[in-house]
């Protein structure tokens, strides 16, 4: 489970001019390349769009450079070349965009531009909690970020009109190492637009910041693009390796002279690019064109015979990049473990006690037992005070182990100390989140966000262990869906001590897939008996919540400790637990928890609701179940103009069954013995309503998600099931007292 690295964040949004960040960009004397731009024809394939980028030219200067402030050097901006940087920050981005607005909806949605912008939005926003993704932007800019911003409107009759700019800024303060670090976003809202207008904008910025920056540049954005050009600019003396993905046309390469250095430009051109890069449930890397890149340090390549000098660089292989993470045995482990310091003695005692609990002497059994103790018994400290600079105390691993406390800064150190005492073969495992990235065994590429786990051999497979990052932790071989069935690389950690000095160690880096699950493993069942009184109009609910597979992995920590995975859709945490009256609480208790796949967990709950039933006309009563049938429904999903394929988080079965028992005989009106079934490429949804006898009514839904991917062309299938879930939750039922 992830949590944001910086958690104390202050967001302020006010009119620009109040902040102390630089507004030098307003002094920039921008002049358009031509007084009146040439007409452009919009392709008929875009006739039903709300807005289309007819032309975009972007220069992504990865280098940056140290020269005077741009406002004293440049007088006129042009569309193809700016190389001055105010403080040498990278990258420098310059972009020219010409947009055709076809509808008012397009104007409302796409007439505000925020700088700096993201070239890989799903990666950049992944670490930001869902609840904060409106207010927290990634990337942010530093004090002097925007270099200039110019905009003008081309009316339908060809007249040129100055655009009305409404500027605002967002400010983010991140306490770090005892001081506040401030970042900004600049918002430019264009006024005076009408359907049929075209908008030209030209802007440049530099010094953008985000946690674990991406090394990918996607060509697509939110709007479709008719013509697109990307120039990836680098210093001629630098060596970047660039990898094309889903790109239609090969790049052209040019060399050119800047004002103070020579550059190499790699230019890509594309036509008719899809929009919708941020659509929920999409995997842009699987279908949209992009490039990935990394800077080569000229430390690996082809050598001349009997010479140490690299003749020319070659792409990094995985083994070269992973070799620094290899770990070796101690020359004299017994001597190391006899040290008298607190950490050594506390770790020796902890591991010895845990080993004595396990009869099986295999590495897998011992570390599984130790890992379970940590998951179940250790409290967790996220070390916010440490990262903010307010806690300067030492790590104190030994003392914390005695007190059963795991600190965030000790997560990996703790496990390394455990494996040291086991003195057995084990591995570090690199995981890429499949929602945004993947590992290709045949080609090294920079991953951006990644997680480190540990693994040990088990029969002909491997067991994986993820050091917990909250009070709740995953059991052995337990993964959230985004680490299931992904390629991972194993880095040996128990190599012979005599090999430490090998410059190029002969080591096998294993590439294996993590375990997977299916819809039968991933099951949730919510069952309850509802005792209903027509006299008091109140109800009392008693039931059970059974979780297995991903439903258990993602949510049982919520029911045990209020722990939530902030990177997943928060709808997973909507449950019957939320239905108690204000000021009251659902009483929930765990009845069964298993450490073995598919990790079944059972919780019992009970609560009451007053005035749940409304008395209508004589003998008629109404009630509804809003929020009760909380089958998964992505609130952000819309099938309208869906552009990218939709990937459900995981295959699953989700059942809600409520038996309502009345204190008087009743007859269900309008929906007696109703069964509705929705079946399509996404899965199927069944609604069953049945009068069992004069006192009992059964309300039941079953949602089975059976698709790994639903093509964008069938987005309406998903929408129909989501709409059915919404409709049932909004429905009112009537009974007549008989």
């Amino acid at each position: 489970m992830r949590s944001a690295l910086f958690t104390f964040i202050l967001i302020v949004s006010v009119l620009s001019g109040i902040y102390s960040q630089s507004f030098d960009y307003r002094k920039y004397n921008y002049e358009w390349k031509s007084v009146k731009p040439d007409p452009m024809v919009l392709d008929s394939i875009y006739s039903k769009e709300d807005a289309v980028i007819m032309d975009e030219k972007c220069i992504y200067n990865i280098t940056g450079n140290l020269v005077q402030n741009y406002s004293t050097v440049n007088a006129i901006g042009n569309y193809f070349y700016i190389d001055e940087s105010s403080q040498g920050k990278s990258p420098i981005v310059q972009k020219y965009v010409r947009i055709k607005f076809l509808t008012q909806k397009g104007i409302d949605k796409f007439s505000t531009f925020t700088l700096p912008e993201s070239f890989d939005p799903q990666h950049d926003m992944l670490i930001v909690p869902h609840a904060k993704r409106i207010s927290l932007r990634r990337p942010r800019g530093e004090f002097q970020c925007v270099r200039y911003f110019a905009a003008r409107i081309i009316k339908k009759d060809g007249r040129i009109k100055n655009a009305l700019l409404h500027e605002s800024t967002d400010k983010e303060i991140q306490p770090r190492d005892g001081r506040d670090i401030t970042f900004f976003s600049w918002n430019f809202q264009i006024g005076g637009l009408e359907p049929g207008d075209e908008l030209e904008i030209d802007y440049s910025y530099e010094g953008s910041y985000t946690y674990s920056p991406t090394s990918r540049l996607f060509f697509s954005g939110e709007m479709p693009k008719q013509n697109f050009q990307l120039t990836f600019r680098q210093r001629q003396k630098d060596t970047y390796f660039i990898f094309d993905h889903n790109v239609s046309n090969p790049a052209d390469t040019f060399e050119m002279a800047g004002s103070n250095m020579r550059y190499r430009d790699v230019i890509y051109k594309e036509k008719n690019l899809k929009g919708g890069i941020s659509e929920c449930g999409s995997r842009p890397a699987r279908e949209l064109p992009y490039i990935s890149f990394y800077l080569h340090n000229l430390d690996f390549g082809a050598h001349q015979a009997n010479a140490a000098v690299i003749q020319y660089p070659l792409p990094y292989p995985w083994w070269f990049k992973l070799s620094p993470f290899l770990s070796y045995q101690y020359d004299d482990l017994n001597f190391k473990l006899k040290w008298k310091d607190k950490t050594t003695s506390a770790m020796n005692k902890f591991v010895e006690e845990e080993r004595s609990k396990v009869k099986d002497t295999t590495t897998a059994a011992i570390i599984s037992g130790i890992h379970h103790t940590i998951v179940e018994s250790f409290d967790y400290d996220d070390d916010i005070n440490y990262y903010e600079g307010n806690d300067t105390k030492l790590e104190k691993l030994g003392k914390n182990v005695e007190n059963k406390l795991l600190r965030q800064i000790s997560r990996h150190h703790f496990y390394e100390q455990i494996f040291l005492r086991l003195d057995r073969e084990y591995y570090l495992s690199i995981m890429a989140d499949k929602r945004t990235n993947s590992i290709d065994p045949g080609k090294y590429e920079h991953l951006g966000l990644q997680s480190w786990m540990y693994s040990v051999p088990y029969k002909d497979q491997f067991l994986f262990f993820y050091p917990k990052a909250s009070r709740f932790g995953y059991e052995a071989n337990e993964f959230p869906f985004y680490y299931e069935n992904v390629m991972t690389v194993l880095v040996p950690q128990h190599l012979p001590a005599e090999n430490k000095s090998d410059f190029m160690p002969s080591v096998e880096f294993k590439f294996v897939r993590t375990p997977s699950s299916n819809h039968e493993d991933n099951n949730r069942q919510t069952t309850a008996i509802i005792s209903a009184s027509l006299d008091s109009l109140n109800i009392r609910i008693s039931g059970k919540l059974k979780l297995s597979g991903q439903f258990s992995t993602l949510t049982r920590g919520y029911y045990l400790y209020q722990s939530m995975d902030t990177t997943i859709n928060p709808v997973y945490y909507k449950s019957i637990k939320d239905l108690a009256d204000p000021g009251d609480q659902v009483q929930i208790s765990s009845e069964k928890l298993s450490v073995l796949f598919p990790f079944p967990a059972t919780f019992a709950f009970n609560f009451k609701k007053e005035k749940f039933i409304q008395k209508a006309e004589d003998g008629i009563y109404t009630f509804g179940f809003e929020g009760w049938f909380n089958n998964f429904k992505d609130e952000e999903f819309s099938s309208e103009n869906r552009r990218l394929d939709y990937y459900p988080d995981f295959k699953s079965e989700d059942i809600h069954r409520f038996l309502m028992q009345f204190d008087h005989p009743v007859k269900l009106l309008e929906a007696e013995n109703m069964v509705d079934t929705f079946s399509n490429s996404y899965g199927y949804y069944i609604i069953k309503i049945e009068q069992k006898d004069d006192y009992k009514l059964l309300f039941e839904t079953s949602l089975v998600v059976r698709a790994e991917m639903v093509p964008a062309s069938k987005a309406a299938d998903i929408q129909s099931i989501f709409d059915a879930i919404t409709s049932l939750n909004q429905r009112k039922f009537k009974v007549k007292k008989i």
Side-chain angles (χ1 to χ4, degrees), residues 24 46 66 116 223 290 322 384 398 548 555 602 639 708 711 718:
D24 283 350
Y46 300 115
L66 295 170
M223 287 180 279
Y290 70 96
L322 294 176
I384 295 302
S548 73
T555 66
T602 301
S639 61
E708 290 186 1
I718 306 169

Side-chain angles (χ1 to χ4, degrees), residues 7 56 72 139 277 328 410 443 469 598 630 686 692 721-722 729:
T7 58
E56 177 176 314
T72 64
I277 192 172
Y328 299 83
S410 300
K443 179 173 62 178
N630 42 60
I686 300 174
K692 305 294 288 185
I721 289 181
F722 287 173
N729 278 277

